[in-house]
Amino acid sequence: MKESPSAKRLISVVSPEDEKGNVEYKRQLHNCTPSRLEKLKTQMSFRLDEGNGCCMYRIGVEDDGCHSLMDYEACAETAKVLEILARSLNA
């Protein structure tokens, strides 16, 4: 029997995201408005502070630690947005 994508999403890959610490989970970032980019920049700055200048992003993971089932293009776009944010913070 073939599982539906929603059933697969219930598989936890990591522990749920912690509000503290230097690890951030991002399902997907695309078409971000300037306001959204500023919020993400502030969030990245917080994660960098929590990790003494080092932070880790888990792309394609929901806050509950489950897969988000994104495709390669969405993952690549999210990575580009995170790179732009990191460069803007000189990180």
Side-chain angles (χ1 to χ4, degrees):
M1 184 169 134
K2 188 176 178 180
E3 288 185 37
S4 70
S6 61
K8 288 181 183 178
R9 192 195 142 340
L10 297 176
I11 299 171
S12 179
V13 292
V14 292
S15 300
E17 184 179 47
D18 190 345
E19 290 183 21
K20 301 284 185 191
N22 68 333
V23 179
E24 180 67 35
Y25 298 174
K26 285 293 169 218
R27 173 182 44 225
Q28 183 177 355
L29 300 173
H30 62 83
N31 299 328
C32 296
T33 64
S35 172
R36 175 73 173 136
L37 289 172
E38 275 303 311
K39 289 178 183 178
L40 291 167
K41 187 175 171 181
T42 299
Q43 186 180 59
M44 182 178 279
S45 180
F46 171 78
R47 294 297 186 181
L48 286 165
D49 287 346
E50 289 286 294
N52 296 314
C54 181
C55 66
M56 179 176 27
Y57 277 72
R58 295 185 184 226
I59 299 172
V61 178
E62 304 283 341
D63 288 345
D64 63 3
C66 292
H67 281 286
S68 65
L69 303 176
M70 64 194 289
D71 61 22
Y72 177 81
E73 289 79 20
C75 184
E77 183 178 350
T78 299
K80 286 179 188 176
V81 170
L82 292 173
E83 181 181 1
I84 291 166
L85 293 170
R87 288 180 185 270
S88 75
L89 292 167
N90 296 318

